[in-house]
Structure formats: structure tokens, C-alpha cells
Amino acid sequence: MTEQPFLMNQWYVAAHSAEVAHRPLARRICGVPLVFWRKQDKTVVAIDDRCPHRKYPLSKGALAGDDIECPYHGLRFGPDGRCTLIPAQSEIPAGFGSRAFPVVETTHLVYVWMGEAGKADTALVPDFFENSAPGWKAMPDYLHIDANWQLIVDNLLDLTHLTFVHKTTLASPGIQENPLEVVVDGDRVVARREMHDVDPAPIFHTMRKFEGNIDRYQNITLILPSHVHIRVEATPAGKSDDPQRLHHVVLNHLTPETERTTHYFWSISRRMKIDDPKISDLLHRMNKKAFDEDVGVLREQQRMIDTDSSPLVNLAADTAVNEARRIIRRKFAEEAATPARV
């Protein structure tokens, strides 16, 4: 789709924390096969999943202490990627090993840095505190989507599609009629839509029984490279100071697998009635249903794009999308202007 399909000097979500244990986990990110595992001290590491000897997947092997053993010829590699054992010979060549990648684990997410290791600034890791903070209840999940990551970013920044794609879950009047207010804050795109005196969307009744119309608010933030934070609020119509203001967030982390496939890590977190498992179940099921509907749309969209080289057409509702694409293009240009080093 492009000569440089991925931003490399960025932190990408590689897994939910619960996915990574003291065993190999294979995951292709930005076209690179990686293997993750949790060391005995519980820290997470990642190295290239290709044994440098004959390129066999290390993830098909097993752990020996904190090392990973290739099941083809028994070579072992440590958490830093260096070879620690070659059974067929006593000496290990200097520098022989597999590339290691910087990893950070925070707020129940595992991040990996795919670019130049020396530029892996941990201060750039986003803080999605709603995933783990006291007083919040988070429900994580994962989707694999047969579409380019930028198409999914577009989908989340333009929520006018809710009216048509998610009729039984997220749709309600007012989305089409009210514009999205968009502000660019550095490398972030921040957008808000206010919908006053509208019927509640079905999902709002999972957490609170509204007797009449509501005031509904969508707050969307794009955080590079492809994290989309969505905060949803609702109050009875005309009661902006309602102490029981409904408030939950949907966290979306879109990690390129290949140019045409994407890992979609998401969670929905709320701070009301957090001890009610029925609400957790309903909220999760309704969001999963909506996201499964998105999967079908995005798959067909990608299929059509692959048969047509003409550019996409923008509409008035694409203001946030256009700003995001502009920032991403600038980041691509900055990386292309700087020679890559690992």
C-alpha cells in the first residue's frame, strides 16, 4: 500500500499482560516475527523469532530457565538475544544471536519498540490508567482484522458509521446531525461530539436505566502511532451536573501485523457498578458484537481497496481522520529522512 507501511520508532501494544507467561508467545508485528516470554522474575522480553542458524521459529521451542531453545538443533538464546549454547560445538561465535527488542509492561499491556533501540524512550509509552487503576473495572479482548491499520484508525475517528453499522448496540439519533469538534495538540488529535436530548443508545441501558432522553458525549483521542482512546459520557437531558453521570472508556490499540492485517487489542473500562458481573458481561458482549461488525466492514473495505488504486474521498465528517493522516504522513517523512539503525 505504501513504500514504508509502518512507523517503526514507536511503542506498539504486543499483548495483553495476561497473554504472556513463562512459555513462548509468537506474534508478528510490523512484518517482523517476534517471540515473547516472561522470565522467571516475571519481566517480559522479546527477540526475533527466527533462529539465525536455519531460520526456524524459536517460538516452536521451549524455555530452559530464562533462555529459549530452538527445537531444530537445540541452540539456546538468552533474553538479550545472545546465543548461550550450541550443542554441536563448544565455541559460540562473537556476536552470534537473535535481535532483541525493547519491551515495557504497564497498565496490563505489553509494549514493544520496533525501531532503533537507542531511541526507545519509555517516557513515550502512553498511560492508559483505566486498565488497571483502583476504582475502575476493565475487560480486555483481542481481534484479528484483515485490514490495514490506518483504515481501522479512520473507523474509530469517524463515528458517524455507528448509525448504520451498529444499529442494535451503539447507534442513536444525533450522531449525524452534530459536528465533531477537532483540535490538534502536538502529535495528538482530540475530537468531541455533543448530542443533546437524544434517545439513549442500547448500550447505555446496560449500566443505567434512563427514563427519557439523554445528553450524550463522545470524546476521542488519537495517540501515536495507533492508539485511540474513546471516553463516552451520558446524563439525563439537561442535567450536565448529574452526580451519577455515566462514564466509561474504550481503549483501542491497533498494531500492524502485516501491511494488510492488524492486531486489535481493546478493552472497555468503567467506574460505576464495578462489582456487578452482569453489567460486565452485558457491556463486553455488546461491544464485542459491535467490533465484530466492524471486522466485516473493514475486511470488505480492504478487499475493494486492493482492486482499486484511486485515492479515498474525504467528506465533512472526516476532519479528525484527515488530521490524523496528516500527522502520520509527517512521521513517515521524518523516519524516511533519518537512516535506520538497529
Side-chain angles (χ1 to χ4, degrees):
M1 296 183 68
T2 63
E3 292 183 3
Q4 181 184 355
F6 315 116
L7 290 172
M8 302 301 287
N9 287 322
Q10 301 285 338
W11 290 104
Y12 287 100
V13 172
H16 293 294
S17 287
E19 294 182 271
V20 188
H22 190 62
R23 60 178 178 270
L25 171 67
R27 191 144 278 165
R28 183 179 294 268
I29 295 177
C30 294
V32 180
L34 302 178
V35 56
F36 296 81
W37 69 92
R38 195 175 292 278
K39 292 165 48 180
Q40 294 173 105
D41 66 4
K42 305 302 181 183
T43 58
V44 179
V45 297
I47 67 174
D48 193 306
D49 194 19
R50 294 165 288 203
C51 178
H53 173 224
R54 286 294 182 266
K55 306 301 183 184
Y56 196 79
L58 294 171
S59 58
K60 292 186 178 297
L63 297 183
D66 283 339
D67 293 355
I68 190 167
E69 182 178 281
C70 177
Y72 193 6
H73 296 96
L75 280 71
R76 292 183 182 179
F77 301 88
D80 60 359
R82 289 184 295 179
C83 183
T84 61
L85 175 69
I86 303 177
Q89 66 185 60
S90 58
E91 294 187 2
I92 299 174
F96 180 64
S98 184
R99 179 187 173 190
F101 292 77
V103 173
V104 170
E105 183 176 17
T106 182
T107 63
H108 297 330
L109 295 169
V110 174
Y111 292 83
V112 64
W113 181 270
M114 297 303 298
E116 185 178 338
K119 294 182 178 179
D121 184 355
T122 57
L124 299 177
V125 177
D127 179 16
F128 297 109
F129 66 91
E130 300 97 335
N131 256 341
S132 59
W136 288 83
K137 174 65 176 179
M139 295 162 288
D141 212 328
Y142 168 86
L143 289 167
H144 183 269
I145 301 185
D146 292 324
N148 179 268
W149 63 277
Q150 290 196 70
L151 295 178
I152 311 172
V153 171
D154 291 353
N155 177 74
L156 292 167
L157 291 178
D158 176 15
L159 297 182
T160 57
H161 76 276
L162 301 189
T163 306
F164 306 98
V165 179
H166 309 305
K167 297 181 186 296
T168 64
T169 52
L170 308 180
S172 76
I175 297 176
Q176 308 295 323
E177 297 82 1
N178 290 282
L180 196 65
E181 299 175 2
V182 179
V183 175
V184 176
D185 181 11
D187 289 339
R188 293 190 176 195
V189 178
V190 181
R192 178 177 172 86
R193 176 181 283 113
E194 297 186 2
M195 295 153 280
H196 295 281
D197 197 20
V198 297
D199 289 333
I203 196 167
F204 291 129
H205 286 304
T206 63
M207 290 177 282
R208 181 174 177 181
K209 298 301 180 184
F210 290 100
E211 299 299 330
N213 285 356
I214 67 169
D215 292 337
R216 178 181 181 182
Y217 308 91
Q218 295 171 340
N219 304 273
I220 311 167
T221 303
L222 169 71
I223 303 168
L224 287 181
S226 48
H227 310 284
V228 182
H229 181 288
I230 301 177
R231 187 177 80 250
V232 178
E233 300 167 289
T235 66
K239 296 184 178 180
S240 60
D241 59 347
D242 179 21
Q244 298 185 56
R245 188 185 191 96
L246 188 152
H247 175 190
H248 70 276
V249 300
V250 184
L251 306 177
N252 308 271
H253 314 284
L254 314 166
T255 299
E257 179 186 47
T258 68
E259 198 170 350
R260 288 172 174 78
T261 59
T262 303
H263 302 291
Y264 187 174
F265 303 96
W266 65 272
S267 61
I268 182 166
S269 185
R270 69 185 191 279
R271 58 179 185 180
M272 63 182 300
K273 301 181 180 179
I274 63 174
D275 296 323
D276 190 330
K278 291 183 179 179
I279 291 180
S280 296
D281 181 63
L282 280 170
L283 198 57
H284 180 267
R285 283 195 287 114
M286 292 188 79
N287 274 273
K288 187 177 186 308
K289 179 181 179 182
F291 291 160
D292 285 343
E293 292 166 341
D294 283 329
V295 169
V297 169
L298 291 159
R299 180 180 60 244
E300 293 304 310
Q301 183 185 9
Q302 181 68 64
R303 189 170 66 87
M304 290 294 105
I305 288 174
D306 287 341
T307 68
D308 182 359
S309 60
S310 62
L312 302 176
V313 176
N314 294 313
L315 304 175
D318 293 315
T319 304
V321 171
N322 292 338
E323 293 291 356
R325 291 237 173 190
R326 180 183 60 80
I327 293 170
I328 291 168
R329 284 196 301 271
R330 173 166 56 80
K331 288 297 182 181
F332 273 129
E334 290 174 2
E335 286 200 3
T338 304
R341 295 177 299 174
V342 297

